[in-house]
Amino acid sequence: MSKNELQKLWDFDIDLPYREKVERLQEMFIKTAGEEADINNNGNSVVYPESTKYNHYFSDGLYVREMFCKKHYMCFTVIHNTANPLFLMKGKVAFSSEDGVEELTAPTFILTKPGTKRVCYWLEDSVIVTVHPNPDGLTDLKEIEKK
């Protein structure tokens, strides 16, 4: 799948509002992938699939997630409750946004706004780092994700 192929998929049901379109695509993906889909809480919780590798770091007031994604991996993000930066350290990814499908090539970063939910397709083996507020100094990932 290329950025153009993700764009074609994205243009399906063009009249839907952005969030509904992402959720519809996620439902279709889950039905198609069946048991092979890594899903948690009907797509409303973070999944740490075996096909990706994660490192988690904690410091005063921050939680940092490092994620290693293989080429051709597709995922749906959860709805982000807080703003946070996403740093693409290596690789290339196509992802959905309110403006359609965008492509990022490392090294670069974007700022994720609260309420954001994305469809991501990894065009190359990639490394991303996200930084999240963690004012309570939590180290339990399930507790952090609730915030």
Side-chain angles (χ1 to χ4, degrees):
M1 181 182 287
S2 67
K3 177 187 174 200
N4 290 337
E5 290 170 304
L6 184 58
Q7 184 69 51
K8 288 177 192 173
L9 180 63
W10 186 248
D11 289 341
F12 179 75
D13 280 339
I14 192 114
D15 294 332
L16 292 174
Y18 175 78
R19 176 76 57 79
E20 289 180 41
K21 187 182 293 191
V22 172
E23 290 172 356
R24 171 83 60 87
L25 288 170
Q26 181 173 316
E27 289 170 10
M28 291 169 46
F29 178 77
I30 291 167
K31 286 179 184 175
T32 302
E35 292 181 12
E36 292 181 26
D38 287 312
I39 186 158
N40 192 6
N41 191 18
N42 201 28
N44 296 314
S45 297
V46 175
V47 173
Y48 299 101
E50 292 180 16
S51 57
T52 57
K53 180 182 180 277
Y54 291 87
N55 291 322
H56 305 278
Y57 306 96
F58 306 93
S59 70
D60 290 341
L62 294 175
Y63 160 55
V64 179
R65 178 186 300 140
E66 182 181 36
M67 180 177 171
F68 301 83
C69 299
K70 294 286 187 188
K71 182 178 180 177
H72 301 307
Y73 179 68
M74 183 174 166
C75 67
F76 295 82
T77 69
V78 296
I79 298 169
H80 293 77
N81 296 323
T82 59
N84 70 282
L86 177 152
F87 299 91
L88 181 61
M89 309 301 287
K90 173 188 166 196
K92 187 184 291 190
V93 61
F95 66 91
S96 66
S97 74
E98 295 280 350
D99 299 320
V101 176
E102 299 181 37
E103 188 174 294
L104 291 178
T105 302
T108 192
F109 77 96
I110 58 172
L111 296 174
T112 299
K113 298 176 187 173
T116 299
K117 182 174 177 74
R118 295 187 180 105
V119 181
C120 301
Y121 182 74
W122 304 97
L123 301 167
E124 297 177 2
D125 288 352
S126 301
V127 178
I128 65 165
V129 174
T130 58
V131 181
H132 306 270
N134 184 12
D136 300 326
L138 302 172
T139 57
D140 182 321
L141 295 177
K142 289 183 181 181
E143 290 300 313
I144 291 172
E145 292 161 11
K146 289 179 186 176
K147 300 282 179 176

